[in-house]
Amino acid sequence: MSRFFSQKYKNLKAYTPGEQPRDMQYIKLNTNESPYPPSPAVAEAVAREAKKLALYSDPECTELVAEAARVFGVGADRILMTNGSDEILNFAFMAFCDKEHPVVFPDITYGFYPVFAELNGIPYEKIPLKDDFSIDAADYIGIHKNIVIANPNAPTGLTLSLTEIERIVASNPDNIVVIDEAYVDFGGESAIPLTDKYENLLVTQTFSKSRSMAGARLGFGIGAPSLIADLQTIKYSTNPYNVNRMTAAAGAAALRENDYYMENCKRIVETREYTKNALEALGFFVTDSKANFLFAGSDRIDGDTLYRELKKRGVLVRHFSTEPIAQFNRITVGTKEQMDVFLAKTKEILKETAQNENR
Ligand code: PMP
């Protein structure tokens, strides 16, 4: 830290993104990217826009918003596009939370929420999950605080039903509820239809997972026009051209080919269930994930050991060393071929570990 760094950030612990190593070719099952490429129309749109890079992008993302309005069945005035969904989440913390309006979220969830809170000087509270790693909706009923819930949650993959979400939103009418639906396309139920009815609900989604665009950085929020207007104020006060022109064109092209992406999601769901069954057969406890990742742990091997041994063998998964999930790994669902390699390596590691113990 330099002597110039603002004192207000002196305790800030930045978010640690999943590793993106360059030392060798890994089977990357650690950052929940899609194993499938974007549709060819997306690459064509990017190439077309690249020729116009001398010009600023459209700050309103008019074409992209129009496509999203069509796909999600909401008015254009209910949508804000951002640089990844991390940005809309940060905007929401900035716009709706402060010392008088603290925020709560589950203790085990997306690790960026406490960072956004600390960055913006917002008091926050973590509500423990139940022993089975699920969120207890009852903990959030009528608590009169702003709430952020990932649904499906990360890294557990577990979901709340739309009825439970609605009860949480309806019982906190004077607070904002953000539902982070980064993984909703893999089997969750979207709360977007509820945004018509509740002015305190903001739903966020991303093109990073189900739409194969993690490297393009595109996310968005859907909510009441008044909420979107507040978020626009934050956007225009930080970075009006937050979505670059290639990404905006790529996003619009992706939405025009929505069926291709939803078909990929189906394949990922099938591969997820196949991998889950295989892990259970190896004695792993695996949560009932509705996301594009599995969350698995076993008494037969320490979570960190499995992560390190897989890495040595060219397979990257994500391990969190925090309790109570240190025994677990989060495994992104890749192609069936990638998951077969992951399973074969896991079997090999389990066998070696058992042999070492018997020595
Ligand atoms: N929410 C959750 C729950 C996530 O896991 C992620 C991915 N790291 C994000 C939001 C942000 O993703 P992106 O900024 O790529 O849209």
Side-chain angles (χ1 to χ4, degrees):
M1 192 190 305
S2 82
R3 63 197 167 88
F4 306 104
F5 197 45
S6 170
Q7 283 298 299
K8 68 176 183 253
Y9 298 130
K10 72 175 191 303
N11 294 324
L12 185 63
K13 273 203 208 68
Y15 176 72
T16 315
E19 29 176 1
Q20 308 285 356
R22 317 249 173 253
D23 58 333
M24 63 179 266
Q25 189 70 35
Y26 288 94
I27 294 188
K28 255 192 109 278
L29 309 177
N30 69 325
T31 43
N32 299 341
E33 290 136 327
S34 174
Y36 300 114
S39 73
V42 166
E44 285 159 24
V46 169
R48 260 197 318 276
E49 286 303 312
K51 298 197 181 105
K52 301 185 214 155
L53 275 180
L55 303 175
Y56 281 110
S57 57
D58 168 13
E60 289 170 22
C61 299
T62 313
E63 184 197 356
L64 171 59
V65 166
E67 292 296 345
R70 181 181 60 74
V71 167
F72 298 104
V74 301
D77 58 347
R78 311 175 74 87
I79 305 175
L80 178 66
M81 291 289 166
T82 53
N83 192 312
S85 57
D86 282 339
E87 190 179 50
I88 186 96
L89 290 166
N90 189 32
F91 285 176
F93 277 79
M94 289 171 77
F96 306 120
C97 305
D98 53 36
K99 293 223 159 49
E100 285 72 46
H101 303 90
V103 61
V104 304
F105 38 80
D107 62 341
I108 305 297
T109 189
Y110 185 32
F112 224 138
Y113 304 153
V115 181
F116 290 137
E118 283 180 19
L119 177 70
N120 296 300
I122 298 159
Y124 63 95
E125 191 188 317
K126 295 178 175 184
I127 300 186
L129 297 181
K130 292 201 273 189
D131 288 345
D132 64 359
F133 295 132
S134 65
I135 292 172
D136 190 346
D139 290 338
Y140 298 84
I141 301 297
I143 58 169
H144 306 298
K145 288 182 183 148
N146 289 337
I147 295 168
V148 183
I149 290 178
N151 194 40
N153 196 14
T156 63
L158 297 175
T159 52
L160 285 176
S161 70
L162 211 48
T163 319
E164 288 169 309
I165 298 285
E166 182 161 10
R167 279 176 53 222
I168 294 171
V169 175
S171 68
N172 293 287
D174 297 324
N175 288 94
I176 293 291
V177 179
V178 178
I179 302 298
D180 173 352
E181 295 187 348
Y183 301 103
V184 74
D185 292 325
F186 305 99
E189 264 178 299
S190 178
I192 289 174
L194 295 180
T195 59
D196 256 350
K197 198 165 154 193
Y198 297 97
E199 59 167 11
N200 62 326
L201 172 62
L202 179 71
V203 175
T204 65
Q205 288 196 14
T206 177
F207 282 62
S208 296
K209 321 291 177 184
S210 56
R211 292 189 174 81
S212 305
M213 271 177 50
R217 315 303 304 126
L218 184 61
F220 59 95
I222 294 188
S226 56
L227 288 193
I228 296 299
D230 295 340
L231 293 162
Q232 295 273 19
T233 302
I234 302 292
K235 165 188 148 127
Y236 282 93
S237 306
T238 48
N239 188 7
Y241 305 106
N242 60 339
V243 177
N244 73 69
R245 54 168 59 244
M246 292 187 294
T247 294
L255 289 172
R256 281 192 285 269
E257 311 236 329
N258 206 39
D259 292 351
Y260 163 79
Y261 293 99
M262 295 305 117
E263 205 46 53
N264 285 347
C265 289
K266 263 194 220 147
R267 286 155 77 187
I268 290 168
V269 168
E270 277 165 24
T271 311
R272 178 184 73 206
E273 297 310 307
Y274 163 80
T275 311
K276 178 174 192 268
N277 289 337
L279 280 172
E280 283 172 345
L282 291 175
F284 280 84
F285 168 77
V286 191
T287 59
D288 184 22
S289 171
K290 296 283 183 264
N292 67 338
F293 53 80
L294 288 164
F295 190 59
S298 163
D299 291 340
R300 293 173 65 189
I301 188 160
D302 176 63
D304 185 50
T305 309
L306 179 60
Y307 155 76
R308 280 187 287 105
E309 292 298 320
L310 281 168
K311 186 171 177 185
K312 271 192 221 159
R313 291 165 175 79
V315 179
L316 267 191
V317 298
R318 184 99 196 243
H319 179 255
F320 301 91
S321 47
T322 39
E323 289 302 340
I325 56 168
Q327 191 56 11
F328 284 72
N329 277 290
R330 190 194 69 190
I331 305 134
T332 303
V333 179
T335 61
K336 173 139 184 314
E337 294 69 28
Q338 289 177 319
M339 300 324 276
D340 280 334
V341 175
F342 157 74
L343 288 165
K345 302 284 179 200
T346 301
K347 264 187 220 160
E348 191 181 296
I349 294 162
L350 287 176
K351 211 161 137 196
E352 278 177 23
T353 317
Q355 276 165 357
N356 287 343
E357 276 170 9
N358 291 339
R359 259 186 214 138

